[in-house]
Amino acid sequence: DAQLNRSDLGWNNDEGTVYVEALTPQAGNDVGFSMFFHIGDGTTLTRFWLGIDATNSDIDGDFKSKNVTVATLTTSMTTAGVDYGGYTVKAAFAYKKDDFAMSVNGQTAVTDTSGSIDDLYTWDRINIGAYRLANTLPLNDCIVNIKYYPRRLTDDQLEDLTS
């Protein structure tokens, strides 16, 4: 679990994209939700995350503002061609007001075209490999690469980036 300040990344409150390349945990080594990254204010009220939901075998991107879910984007692990046990996941989640998208392993981007991002300025932490508090919802495997783009990449760019 690593924690960074958003100012270290040149964070853009209006739009951006986070890309993660990671390995899936071994079956049985997850804790229900294995987190690739979590960006938030230290509470459950405002957050932006990407990870594996073991309950549904999905890769989920979630954006929540002031305790209201703004966007939840989901791709099944089967559709993305991955399973538990060290499979490579390349996922990118992009945000902009009324314009959210996620692509996993080159799949067609799933989108959501409504939602406010007005309180991004309240976010003060970025956790890699865990959720908002150390050792909570750990990935239990390897983050290979993580990148932040201070702009909303196009859907085609998300698909190319994750191929």
Side-chain angles (χ1 to χ4, degrees):
D1 171 36
Q3 185 171 316
L4 302 169
N5 293 318
R6 67 186 173 157
S7 61
D8 296 337
L9 300 175
W11 186 260
N12 183 345
N13 285 342
D14 297 320
E15 61 181 296
T17 303
V18 177
Y19 165 82
V20 175
E21 180 179 349
L23 301 179
T24 59
Q26 298 296 319
N29 284 350
D30 57 29
V31 290
F33 196 97
S34 298
M35 195 66 63
F36 297 142
F37 74 85
H38 172 267
I39 300 169
D41 64 358
T43 72
T44 60
L45 304 179
T46 299
R47 65 178 184 233
F48 170 29
W49 71 24
L50 186 64
I52 296 174
D53 180 350
T55 306
N56 303 316
S57 295
D58 290 332
I59 298 165
D60 290 345
D62 184 66
F63 200 103
K64 192 171 185 180
S65 175
K66 299 177 184 170
N67 209 27
V68 175
T69 299
V70 176
T72 298
L73 303 175
T74 301
T75 298
S76 78
M77 289 175 65
T78 303
T79 300
V82 299
D83 201 348
Y84 290 99
Y87 283 76
T88 299
V89 173
K90 295 178 182 180
F93 190 112
Y95 65 91
K96 188 175 182 178
K97 185 176 192 279
D98 298 328
D99 186 13
F100 301 86
M102 180 180 77
S103 178
V104 178
N105 288 0
Q107 297 296 312
T108 300
V110 291
T111 62
D112 186 323
T113 57
S114 66
S116 171
I117 57 170
D118 295 337
D119 65 338
L120 285 182
Y121 64 88
T122 67
W123 300 3
D124 62 359
R125 65 198 72 208
I126 299 168
N127 296 88
I128 300 169
Y131 176 61
R132 74 184 164 93
L133 301 171
N135 300 319
T136 306
L137 302 180
L139 176 60
N140 287 327
D141 215 306
C142 177
I143 301 283
V144 177
N145 193 353
I146 188 164
K147 294 179 183 178
Y148 172 71
Y149 299 86
R151 65 189 184 285
R152 197 305 196 178
L153 298 181
T154 68
D155 293 356
D156 287 342
Q157 288 173 316
L158 296 176
E159 293 162 20
D160 289 345
L161 184 62
T162 63
S163 291

